[in-house]
Amino acid sequence: MSKTDVILVSPPSRTKSPRPPLGLMYLSSYLEREGITADIVDIKGYPDKEIFDKIIESIKKANPIMVGITCLSPEVEEVISISKEIKKKIDCYVVVGGVHPTVSPQDFLGSTSPVDFVVIGEGELTLTELLKTVKNEQDLWNVPGIAWFNDDQIVRTKSRLPINNLDELPFPAFKKVPMNYYTFPNIYAVRGILLSAFFIFTSRGCPFRCKFCSNKSVFGRRVRHRSAKNVVDEIEYLVNNYRIDGFYIYDDTFTINKQHVLNICEELISRKLDLIWGCETRTDLISEEIIKKMKQAGCIQIDFGVESGSQRILDILKKDITVSQIKNAFNICQKFHIRRFANFMINTPGETEEDIQKTINLAKELNATLNIFNVTTPFPGTDLYKEIETKLSPKDYSKMASKISFKEFIEFIESRCKFSQHNINLDVLLTDLWKEFPNVQDLSFRLNKSYVKGIIKELLFVVDMKYLKVINKSKRKKEYLKWLMDIILKKEKQSGNKL
C-alpha cells in the first residue's frame, strides 16, 4: 500500500464545532504546494462514541508517514489517547502542534509517550522541513521550531522566526474539509446572525499583553498583515465556489492598523461583492472614520472584549483600555447602526462584589446587542496560569472547557482556579446574568421585561435592509428555511418531552 505523506487530524471533541480547522487547512495547502501529499481528517455527522474509531479508520486507509494533530489545552488527554491508538495501529510518526504544544511541549514528550515531535509556533515551514528531514534521515537539529525526547531528556531546536510575508502562503485547503457543513447557515460565524459564512484571517500576531490570553505564544507579538487584494481574492473565491453570503474576520484585533482596514473595505466595495460580515477588535482602536467605512463595506457586527466595568480589574488584566474608551466605542457603533457583541469576564483576579456590580451596570449602559459572560480560566501560556498556586495536569486541562460538563467545569474553577475575592457561587452568578442578558448560547424565551427587550433587539437583524438584500440574492434560501424548520421542530420536541 502506498503511503500518504501527512495526515492532519482535528481532535474528536471538535466533531460538532462550527469553526473550521483553519490551522490545519493552511498547513495542508502549504505542504501540498511543496510537493507533499497532505490530507485532513475532520469528521462530522457521527455520534460522539463513533468519532474516535472513524478517525483511526481514516488514518489507517491513508497509511501516512506522519500524522499531525492540533491541540488546545482542554484537548490534551484526548490527543494523547488518540496518539497511543495511532501508534498501535499504524507505523508512522506522530506530531502535535497548536497552542498547548507550543506553550507546554513537555506535556507530550517522554520515554513512554506516543508523540514523536512537537511543532512549536507557526507550523507551515516547520512541518514541511520536519517531514523532509525524517524521510531523508537527515539531522533534526537543522529544523527550527521542534522538540522531541532524546537520550532521556526533552530537547528542542532554536525558535522559528514568524512568516513575514503572509501573501506568500496559499489559501487554506478548502477542498480538504467538509465545507458544506461549515457554510450551511448558522448563528456562530457572525454570532447571533443566521448566515452562510466562513472565517478569514487577514493578519497574524498580537502586540497586546492581556493576562488571560495565550494567542501571542503561537503567532507572536509582531503583527503581520496580508494585502487587501490577497484577502478579498480569498473571499471572492469562497463566494464563487461555496456560495457564502458573509464572513467573519478571525484576527485577534482587526482594526489595529487603520490603513489595512480601509484598504480591505475599499477592495470589498470596489468588487461589489455585497456581503455582510463581522470581526473582533479592541474598544481603543475604533474611530468614526473606520466604522463608517466598515459599514459601507458590509460590516454588520463587531465583537469587543469589554471584560469588566471596573477600571481596577481592567488594569489588573493588563487590558490597557479605560471604561470611557469602552463607552465611546459602543456609542460610535450605535451611531452607525453596527451590532455590538460584548464579552465580559467573571472570576477575575481580586474581583469583589463591587466589581461585579460595576460590570453589570456597564453592561446595562452599553446596551449591547448580545452579551456573553465568560469564566476566567488560567490556560497554560497565559500570565494568569503563572498565578495559580498548584500547577495543573493533563487531566485537569480537560476540565477547562464547559463543553465537557458545565457542572464539572464550574466545580473545577471554584476548587482550583478561583481568582475572585467574593464568595458568590459562580454557577449562581452566571445563572442570574443569563436571566438578565440574552446571549447567543441560550436564546430561550423568558418572561422578563429586560430580557424580552434584549431578545427583540437581537432579532432585529431580520429586518435590516442590508441583511434582507443579502438573503434575497442568496443561492442558499432553501438551507436558511431548513435551519429555521429544524429549530422549530427541535423546540416542539423539547416541549413534548417536558409534557
Side-chain angles (χ1 to χ4, degrees):
M1 183 185 293
S2 63
K3 278 184 175 285
T4 300
D5 289 321
V6 180
I7 290 294
L8 302 167
V9 179
S10 191
S13 61
R14 298 191 197 182
T15 182
K16 294 178 182 176
S17 173
R19 298 185 176 184
L22 276 171
L24 299 184
M25 294 164 70
Y26 270 109
L27 286 173
S28 178
S29 61
Y30 188 89
L31 290 165
E32 292 271 352
R33 192 181 71 179
E34 296 300 308
I36 298 168
T37 54
D39 288 326
I40 299 174
V41 174
D42 179 34
I43 296 175
K44 306 291 182 183
Y46 288 92
D48 291 349
K49 61 183 180 180
E50 296 180 22
I51 293 297
F52 192 97
D53 291 339
K54 290 291 181 183
I55 291 174
I56 298 298
E57 182 183 323
S58 297
I59 297 171
K60 283 182 69 175
K61 285 181 180 179
N63 192 29
I65 296 171
M66 183 177 285
V67 174
I69 312 172
T70 185
C71 183
L72 297 171
S73 294
E75 300 164 339
V76 172
E77 268 199 311
E78 65 173 304
V79 166
I80 291 174
S81 177
I82 202 164
S83 296
K84 288 179 179 178
E85 195 66 19
I86 291 168
K87 279 294 194 180
K88 285 180 185 177
K89 302 287 180 65
I90 305 144
D91 180 21
C92 66
Y93 294 100
V94 173
V95 182
V96 296
V99 177
H100 193 94
T102 291
V103 300
S104 300
Q106 69 277 4
D107 287 335
F108 300 92
L109 299 171
S111 59
T112 61
S113 173
V115 175
D116 297 295
F117 302 102
V118 169
V119 168
I120 298 169
E122 292 180 340
E124 288 89 353
L125 290 166
T126 304
L127 194 60
T128 301
E129 292 179 15
L130 177 59
L131 189 279
K132 291 179 179 179
T133 297
V134 298
K135 280 182 74 173
N136 298 321
E137 298 182 351
Q138 295 174 336
D139 190 355
L140 290 168
W141 287 99
N142 292 327
V143 182
I146 61 171
W148 72 99
F149 192 75
N150 184 52
D151 291 334
D152 296 325
Q153 64 178 329
I154 296 172
V155 296
R156 59 188 293 175
T157 58
K158 65 180 181 181
S159 298
R160 165 89 55 184
L161 292 175
I163 297 169
N164 190 47
N165 185 357
L166 298 182
D167 280 7
E168 292 180 353
L169 294 174
F171 292 162
F174 302 113
K175 295 180 181 179
K176 305 280 187 176
V177 298
M179 286 294 286
N180 285 338
Y181 174 88
Y182 291 117
T183 58
F184 192 88
N186 64 77
I187 59 171
Y188 299 109
V190 182
R191 290 185 287 183
I193 298 177
L194 182 59
L195 189 66
S196 168
F198 203 71
F199 295 82
I200 304 287
F201 276 114
T202 81
S203 69
R204 288 182 179 181
C206 180
F208 299 103
R209 58 188 191 125
C210 305
K211 291 181 72 171
F212 51 85
C213 182
S214 62
N215 286 358
K216 57 184 177 288
S217 299
V218 177
F219 291 132
R221 296 188 69 169
R222 182 171 66 87
V223 181
R224 296 146 289 144
H225 294 94
R226 297 168 63 185
S227 68
K229 180 182 183 303
N230 184 258
V231 169
V232 182
D233 280 350
E234 181 179 331
I235 294 169
E236 191 164 15
Y237 177 88
L238 287 164
V239 171
N240 294 335
N241 290 274
Y242 298 102
R243 304 175 298 147
I244 63 167
D245 298 319
F247 57 92
Y248 184 82
I249 294 176
Y250 220 7
D251 302 16
D252 290 328
T253 311
F254 177 53
T255 63
I256 193 169
N257 183 306
K258 172 183 170 182
Q259 197 56 53
H260 174 69
V261 175
L262 297 178
N263 289 346
I264 288 176
C265 290
E266 286 291 355
E267 194 75 20
L268 287 166
I269 293 167
S270 67
R271 297 199 200 186
K272 299 179 181 179
L273 293 178
D274 290 328
L275 302 171
I276 55 178
W277 52 280
C279 67
E280 179 177 344
T281 195
R282 290 167 57 93
T283 55
D284 59 335
L285 296 174
I286 286 296
S287 68
E288 290 200 7
E289 179 188 4
I290 288 177
I291 294 299
K292 183 178 181 181
K293 182 60 69 173
M294 289 170 65
K295 176 75 173 181
Q296 291 172 355
C299 181
I300 194 171
Q301 178 168 300
I302 299 178
D303 300 3
F304 290 106
V306 176
E307 322 313 358
S308 177
S310 165
Q311 188 62 54
R312 185 180 71 86
I313 295 298
L314 291 174
D315 294 341
I316 290 173
L317 294 174
K318 296 182 180 178
K319 278 290 291 186
D320 295 332
I321 60 173
T322 65
V323 173
S324 63
Q325 287 173 326
I326 294 170
K327 294 177 181 179
N328 180 60
F330 276 70
N331 287 337
I332 291 173
C333 289
Q334 191 162 18
K335 176 180 178 179
F336 289 93
H337 305 291
I338 298 283
R339 289 164 52 97
R340 290 87 58 211
F341 189 107
N343 289 277
F344 294 96
M345 298 173 68
I346 63 170
N347 185 43
T348 53
E351 178 183 271
T352 64
E353 290 189 36
E354 182 182 359
D355 295 318
I356 289 289
Q357 191 57 54
K358 286 181 178 179
T359 296
I360 292 171
N361 292 343
L362 180 62
K364 291 178 178 178
E365 182 179 347
L366 294 179
N367 193 30
T369 316
L370 274 174
N371 304 274
I372 191 165
F373 293 85
N374 302 291
V375 179
T376 304
T377 306
F379 291 105
T382 66
D383 292 343
L384 282 179
Y385 184 75
K386 301 171 186 175
E387 296 182 7
I388 56 176
E389 294 181 0
T390 56
K391 296 309 172 187
L392 306 177
S393 68
K395 189 172 183 179
D396 294 321
Y397 300 148
S398 65
K399 300 173 184 176
M400 299 176 90
S402 58
K403 64 183 178 182
I404 306 299
S405 163
F406 184 73
K407 181 181 178 182
E408 188 177 12
F409 167 66
I410 291 296
E411 288 175 351
F412 169 73
I413 295 294
E414 291 272 14
S415 62
R416 300 290 301 278
C417 307
K418 185 73 178 287
F419 291 111
S420 54
Q421 291 182 352
H422 57 72
N423 294 318
I424 305 173
N425 181 277
L426 296 178
D427 192 8
V428 172
L429 177 57
L430 282 172
T431 300
D432 289 343
L433 290 169
W434 289 339
K435 287 178 181 177
E436 183 75 19
F437 302 99
N439 71 87
V440 75
Q441 295 178 339
D442 178 20
L443 290 179
S444 56
F445 180 77
R446 295 191 179 97
L447 291 175
N448 173 309
K449 185 177 179 181
S450 62
Y451 189 90
V452 171
K453 287 174 65 177
I455 286 290
I456 293 172
K457 178 175 58 180
E458 148 59 14
L459 296 177
L460 282 176
F461 72 87
V462 299
V463 294
D464 182 282
M465 293 307 297
K466 181 69 175 177
Y467 179 79
L468 291 173
K469 181 180 178 182
V470 168
I471 298 304
N472 183 57
K473 74 178 185 67
S474 174
K475 298 177 181 178
R476 291 178 174 265
K477 292 187 184 70
K478 290 182 179 179
E479 294 176 14
Y480 284 92
L481 288 172
K482 184 179 185 307
W483 186 92
L484 289 169
M485 290 304 299
D486 288 345
I487 290 296
I488 292 170
L489 292 173
K490 183 179 179 180
K491 291 291 184 183
E492 287 181 350
K493 184 177 180 180
Q494 289 174 345
S495 298
N497 290 337
K498 290 178 181 178
L499 293 175

